[in-house]
């Protein structure tokens, strides 16, 4: 009868068991909405760019709805929209409805979008940003019973489209790290 070695053999460590594995899964699932909320709060810092808050949350909701829809759920999108409305002093509901529409459409088309090149996804996002800015403008007009100037909506669409490549690069790295961690466990 051979004795077992005193040291464990080198190689892959044993996966976490029980509670630790569940906590790791919960943390990975919560990472997209939590980091988006942190970005929202950081974007709300007084920089003189009031459109920065919705311009940051829109790419994040779109990206995670396409590439990790399990983590970006409708309740999380609702909470992010509410946080956006509170941080921008917008009428409650405009950001919520806009983000839920973006999430729903991105979720519905995720299978096709996930297979496309970055440039094609970016162009689709540009259309989403223009549509979301137009929807926000329309909702504000309905709630205020007057036509607001269209330039803030245009700036929001352009700023969102311009921020998407940088934010998508960072979110892609986080997504790949989460996929590697899931494969290892």
């Amino acid at each position: 009868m051979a004795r077992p070695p005193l040291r464990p053999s080198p190689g892959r460590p044993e996966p976490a068991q029980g509670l630790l594995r569940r906590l790791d899964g919960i943390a990975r699932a919560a990472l997209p909405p939590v980091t988006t909320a942190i970005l929202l709060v950081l974007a709300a810092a007084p920089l003189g760019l009031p459109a920065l808050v919705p311009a940051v949350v829109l790419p994040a909701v779109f990206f995670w709805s396409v590439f990790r829809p399990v983590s970006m759920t409708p309740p999380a999108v609702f909470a992010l929209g509410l946080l956006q409305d509170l941080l921008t002093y917008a009428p409650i509901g405009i950001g919520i409805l806009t983000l839920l529409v973006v999430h729903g459409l991105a979720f519905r088309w995720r299978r096709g979008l996930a297979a496309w090149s970055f440039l094609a996804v970016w162009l689709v996002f540009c259309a989403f940003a223009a549509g979301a800015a137009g929807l926000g403008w329309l909702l504000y007009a309905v709630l205020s019973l007057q036509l607001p100037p269209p330039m803030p909506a245009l700036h929001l669409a352009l700023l969102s489209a311009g921020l998407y490549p940088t934010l998508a690069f960072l979110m892609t790295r986080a997504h790949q790290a989460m996929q590697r961690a899931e494969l290892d466990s």
Side-chain angles (χ1 to χ4, degrees):
M1 206 188 304
R3 289 183 160 173
L6 295 176
R7 288 188 219 155
S9 61
R12 286 175 106 170
E14 288 291 319
Q17 298 297 319
L19 180 64
L20 291 177
R21 180 175 279 184
R22 279 188 242 141
L23 288 175
D24 181 53
I26 290 169
R28 240 183 272 121
L31 184 71
V34 169
T35 55
T36 303
I38 291 169
L39 272 175
L40 276 173
V41 171
L42 291 175
L47 297 174
L49 289 171
L52 192 58
V53 172
V56 167
V57 72
L58 191 63
V61 166
F62 176 82
F63 180 89
W64 292 118
S65 296
V66 170
F67 295 103
R68 198 163 188 86
V70 172
S71 295
M72 192 55 75
T73 61
V77 174
F78 181 91
L80 290 170
L82 180 62
L83 180 62
Q84 173 190 331
D85 288 342
L86 293 173
L87 289 174
T88 59
Y89 303 109
I92 303 295
I94 291 177
I96 296 168
L97 184 60
T98 303
L99 290 179
L100 283 172
V101 167
V102 167
H103 167 72
L105 291 173
F107 181 80
R108 184 174 190 91
W109 297 336
R110 75 186 185 283
R111 293 192 197 287
L113 287 172
W116 291 0
S117 70
F118 171 76
L119 183 60
V121 173
W122 186 20
L123 291 174
V124 169
F125 174 75
C126 290
F128 269 74
L135 178 61
W137 180 85
L138 181 65
L139 290 172
Y140 191 80
V142 168
L143 288 174
S144 65
L145 298 175
Q146 63 181 357
L147 286 178
M151 287 311 287
L154 179 63
H155 289 156
L156 170 63
L158 293 174
L159 188 58
S160 292
L163 285 175
Y164 184 80
T166 303
L167 293 174
F169 174 79
L170 297 171
M171 291 182 286
T172 299
R173 297 297 175 250
H175 178 57
Q176 290 170 344
M178 286 188 283
Q179 282 181 323
R180 281 192 301 274
E182 287 167 350
L183 291 175
D184 289 342
S185 62

